[in-house]
């Protein structure tokens, strides 16, 4: 009789264990617990967009320009938010900071990509905000003397509100199109310096990233950004760049003097010059079809 009872208890225990395991497995199969439906799980990494092949012999015209993307513009806020990573999304600085710190991608000192940044942690430290404060130190006679002491505070992520990109526009005679390729990009940090009670802003490029590096393209393609029109459609930074879903203005182009627009024009004149360059790029495509 005791054997029969033990067998029955063992069978009940096994059944309950299987049911519990099934519940755990079902809960783990959901990608997000706050959804009313189960999203399909895709463990495969998203592949970046593949550019059409371009032969050097088919490039009959080429022009390099530098653009500035201001995160304060509504359309560009996907680069700035969220400040703290959440819902599998992170802003552009957080994404790059983690990848550079882990050694996943490389960062360079300028847009020629000739010299790589060796110590990323030290570079961020040098970009900290600086200010002078009054301190009192005793001299040899015991009297306190007033001195200015330099105080450095860590870089504030919220002060990164600008992205600069370098791109090359060209005409491909094989496909009969005017096209563009992004060469690289860098975030710009507005370093705050205070001296004699005067606060000045010093824009600093945190480091140029080469856009065409495979590890960079992979990172951009697999980092989600917010889609303001549809939560069910997932977007990535690669989608934003390829579809050019941002607003920007040109700050420099290849020219005889190789200088920025701000070096010779200011205010509305600089904005008008930027629009003139945009119009020139547009006219190049239109002129292709003139007979």
């Amino acid at each position: 009789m005791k054997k029969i009872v033990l067998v029955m208890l063992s069978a009940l225990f096994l059944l309950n264990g299987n049911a519990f395991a099934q519940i755990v497995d079902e809960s783990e199969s959901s990608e997000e617990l706050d959804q009313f439906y189960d999203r399909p799980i895709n463990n495969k990494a998203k592949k970046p967009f593949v550019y059409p092949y371009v032969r050097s012999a088919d490039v009959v015209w080429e022009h390099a320009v530098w653009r500035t993307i201001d995160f304060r513009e509504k359309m560009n806020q996907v680069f700035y938010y969220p400040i703290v990573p959440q819902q599998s999304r992170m802003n552009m600085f957080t994404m790059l900071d983690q990848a550079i710190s882990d050694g996943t991608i490389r960062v360079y000192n300028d847009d020629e990509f000739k010299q790589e940044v060796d110590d990323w942690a030290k570079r961020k430290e040098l970009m900290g905000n600086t200010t002078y404060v009054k301190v009192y130190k005793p001299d040899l006679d015991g009297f306190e003397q007033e001195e200015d002491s330099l105080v450095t505070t860590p870089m504030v992520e919220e002060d990164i509100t600008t992205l600069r990109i370098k791109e090359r526009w060209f005409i491909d005679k094989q496909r009969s199109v005017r096209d563009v390729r992004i060469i690289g990009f860098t975030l710009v940090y507005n370093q705050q310096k205070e001296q004699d009670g005067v606060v000045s802003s010093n824009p600093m490029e945190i480091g140029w990233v080469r856009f065409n590096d495979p590890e960079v393209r992979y990172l951009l393609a697999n980092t989600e950004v917010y889609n303001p029109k549809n939560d069910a459609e997932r977007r990535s930074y690669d989608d934003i760049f390829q579809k050019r879903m941002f607003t920007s203005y040109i700050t420099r182009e290849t020219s005889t003097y190789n200088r920025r627009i701000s070096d010779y024009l200011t205010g509305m004149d600089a904005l008008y010059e930027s629009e003139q360059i945009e119009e020139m790029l547009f006219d190049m495509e239109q002129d292709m079809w003139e007979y």
Side-chain angles (χ1 to χ4, degrees), residues 66 99 165 208:
W66 288 256
I165 62 175
W208 281 86

Side-chain angles (χ1 to χ4, degrees), residues 31-60:
E31 184 180 4
E32 297 178 357
L33 297 179
D34 62 345
Q35 290 290 338
F36 63 92
Y37 64 95
D38 291 339
R39 292 178 182 236
I41 297 178
N42 185 10
N43 293 325
K44 295 182 179 179
K46 185 178 178 181
K47 294 182 179 180
F49 174 80
V50 179
Y51 289 108
Y53 177 72
V54 178
R55 296 191 316 146
S56 60
D58 293 331
V59 178
V60 295

Side-chain angles (χ1 to χ4, degrees), residues 191-220:
Q191 185 186 52
Q192 303 296 319
K193 290 186 176 182
E194 182 180 354
Q195 189 171 8
D196 299 330
V198 179
V199 179
S200 60
S201 180
N202 179 33
M204 299 181 63
E205 297 177 348
I206 69 171
W208 281 86
V209 177
R210 190 171 179 272
F211 187 81
N212 289 326
D213 285 346
E215 56 271 16
V216 174
R217 296 294 312 284
Y218 177 87
L219 177 67
L220 295 174

Side-chain angles (χ1 to χ4, degrees), residues 13 19 28 31-32 38 58 72 81 91 104 107 127 131 139 143 160 165 174 179 206-207 214 218 221 229 252 272 281:
F13 178 77
E28 291 179 350
E31 184 180 4
E32 297 178 357
D38 291 339
D58 293 331
R72 292 170 296 183
Y81 293 103
N91 62 35
T104 306
V107 62
M127 291 186 182
T131 181
D139 57 13
F143 296 100
I160 300 177
I165 62 175
Q174 177 67 27
D179 209 343
I206 69 171
Y218 177 87
K229 297 185 181 297
R252 179 185 166 193
Y272 180 73
L281 296 175

Side-chain angles (χ1 to χ4, degrees), residues 7-180:
V7 171
M8 293 179 64
L9 290 175
S10 300
L12 289 173
F13 178 77
L14 291 174
L15 289 174
N16 290 334
N18 291 334
F20 177 74
Q22 184 177 1
I23 293 174
V24 172
D25 292 340
E26 289 178 355
S27 64
E28 291 179 350
S29 65
S30 299
E31 184 180 4
E32 297 178 357
L33 297 179
D34 62 345
Q35 290 290 338
F36 63 92
Y37 64 95
D38 291 339
R39 292 178 182 236
I41 297 178
N42 185 10
N43 293 325
K44 295 182 179 179
K46 185 178 178 181
K47 294 182 179 180
F49 174 80
V50 179
Y51 289 108
Y53 177 72
V54 178
R55 296 191 316 146
S56 60
D58 293 331
V59 178
V60 295
W61 174 84
E62 183 180 350
H63 197 68
V65 298
W66 288 256
R67 294 180 180 273
T68 294
I69 300 175
D70 193 338
F71 296 167
R72 292 170 296 183
E73 295 282 347
K74 186 175 181 180
M75 191 173 182
N76 301 330
Q77 290 182 352
V78 292
F79 296 102
Y80 186 79
Y81 293 103
I83 300 298
V84 179
Q86 56 181 334
Q87 297 179 352
S88 70
R89 293 188 290 112
M90 62 181 66
N91 62 35
M92 195 162 198
F93 173 78
T94 303
M95 174 194 68
L96 294 176
D97 184 33
Q98 291 182 2
I100 298 172
S101 300
D102 295 339
T104 306
I105 65 175
R106 293 173 292 179
V107 62
Y108 299 85
N109 287 321
D110 54 31
D111 57 12
E112 296 294 332
F113 313 105
K114 294 180 180 179
Q115 184 178 5
E116 188 175 348
V117 175
D118 297 328
D119 193 337
W120 174 245
K122 184 177 180 180
R123 188 179 184 89
K124 290 194 299 179
E125 182 180 350
L126 294 175
M127 291 186 182
N129 298 323
T130 60
T131 181
Y132 284 92
V133 297
K134 300 293 185 180
V135 295
Y136 297 90
K137 295 182 179 180
D139 57 13
L140 296 177
D141 297 327
F143 296 100
E144 290 187 344
Q145 299 292 330
E146 182 180 292
E147 295 181 2
D148 289 333
S149 179
L150 181 63
V151 177
T152 302
T153 57
M155 182 175 63
V156 181
E157 183 177 339
E158 288 83 349
D159 289 338
I160 300 177
T161 59
T162 305
L163 175 70
R164 291 175 183 170
I165 62 175
K166 176 184 179 181
E167 59 188 15
R168 293 189 179 275
W169 292 83
F170 64 96
I171 292 179
D172 183 0
K173 69 177 183 180
Q174 177 67 27
R175 295 180 295 144
S176 299
V177 295
R178 181 208 61 170
D179 209 343
V180 61

